[in-house]
Amino acid sequence: MDGESTAMLFCPPLPPVRLPIDRPVVIGRHPSCDLALRKSNVSRRHAEVRFQGGHFMLRDLGSTNGTFVNGATVEGDYALQPGDRIEISSQNVVFCEIQGGVDNLPREPNEEQTVIFERPPVREAFQGDLAEVPPFALLQMLELGNKTGVLTIEGDGEPGRIWLEDGVPVHAESEKQVGFNAALAIVGASHGRFRFEPHASTPERSVQASVTELLLEASRLMDESAQ
């Protein structure tokens, strides 16, 4: 990790959690954990991520059901790579490295006051690989940054675009759909490229949902398809 990157964990609809280099971040069921996953089969202190030797290392903390990365069991210390999926019970936590340092903004809790995070900066225009920063992480970043513009996704599904105003999605369109369903299809992309262009005007308004509502519905549909 270089000095221009900020490492974060994403587990929507929970807010993103920034990974500091001076202390470990604990994932588990207990409310005192940095990333608190309210599932009965998650151990109270399940796993931790700490910065060591120039890398963020994941370690299972003797959990009952184990910790996995991209389907493989974690044994000992595992050096995380951008885009890695940490699997804890039925929860998927994605490790991302966001280019650009974190501004000196105050910390604030989520609604349940269990997860502490810092807002990452979102540069005016940026682009990258969906394998390293998936669409849901991009949308959460743009929401936290109150950004206005258009996010273009060219992925493994339908290419599409989502327009946001002050971090709120207001319109989405793909090759075959417009509105909320188009936004759902875009969120489901996992491979390809993304590009965010600031201050783009919205052609129309077809979405009436927050980023959290969009991600919750996308998660529900994924769970149904997996059954």
Side-chain angles (χ1 to χ4, degrees):
M1 176 178 170
D2 59 46
E4 296 297 321
S5 298
T6 298
M8 305 189 76
L9 297 178
F10 290 86
C11 185
L14 295 174
V17 176
R18 183 195 175 201
L19 295 173
I21 62 174
D22 58 350
R23 67 170 182 85
V25 164
V26 178
I27 308 169
R29 190 179 75 249
H30 196 273
S32 66
C33 291
D34 300 279
L35 181 54
L37 306 177
R38 301 300 181 86
K39 298 288 185 179
S40 60
N41 48 2
V42 175
S43 296
R44 290 168 64 84
R45 288 172 56 87
H46 198 106
E48 72 173 18
V49 179
R50 67 169 64 239
F51 190 72
Q52 180 178 329
H55 300 279
F56 281 97
M57 311 297 291
L58 173 68
R59 172 179 283 270
D60 185 85
L61 296 177
S63 67
T64 301
N65 296 312
T67 302
F68 303 82
V69 174
N70 304 327
T73 304
V74 172
E75 297 180 356
D77 291 326
Y78 177 90
L80 291 167
Q81 300 297 319
D84 275 348
R85 266 67 172 175
I86 304 169
E87 300 155 29
I88 295 179
S89 181
S90 59
Q91 300 286 314
N92 285 325
V93 181
V94 180
F95 171 79
C96 297
E97 287 187 2
I98 312 301
Q99 294 301 311
V102 172
D103 294 335
N104 187 24
L105 295 173
R107 293 183 175 185
E108 59 183 85
N110 71 353
E111 293 179 353
E112 297 182 358
Q113 297 187 350
T114 58
V115 178
I116 303 300
F117 69 98
E118 293 180 3
R119 287 192 178 93
V122 180
R123 288 176 293 171
E124 286 300 288
F126 64 102
Q127 60 187 341
D129 194 325
L130 292 176
E132 296 184 355
V133 187
F136 63 79
L138 292 166
L139 288 172
Q140 285 193 304
M141 289 166 51
L142 294 168
E143 179 185 43
L144 290 172
N146 297 318
K147 292 300 177 180
T148 295
V150 59
L151 176 65
T152 300
I153 301 292
E154 298 175 351
D156 48 6
E158 293 183 47
R161 294 182 290 178
I162 298 178
W163 282 260
L164 302 100
E165 290 185 1
D166 296 325
V168 178
V170 293
H171 177 60
E173 59 184 41
S174 64
E175 289 184 341
K176 301 178 181 179
Q177 303 179 90
V178 173
F180 190 75
N181 288 335
L184 288 175
I186 294 167
V187 169
S190 58
H191 296 88
R193 301 286 298 176
F194 68 83
R195 182 176 69 259
F196 177 72
E197 301 169 67
H199 313 305
S201 60
T202 305
E204 60 179 291
R205 292 180 178 270
S206 62
V207 178
Q208 295 181 341
S210 66
V211 168
T212 297
E213 290 169 333
L214 174 61
L215 298 184
L216 281 172
E217 180 62 13
S219 177
R220 185 187 68 81
L221 293 174
M222 290 180 62
D223 289 344
E224 287 184 352
S225 65
Q227 293 178 358

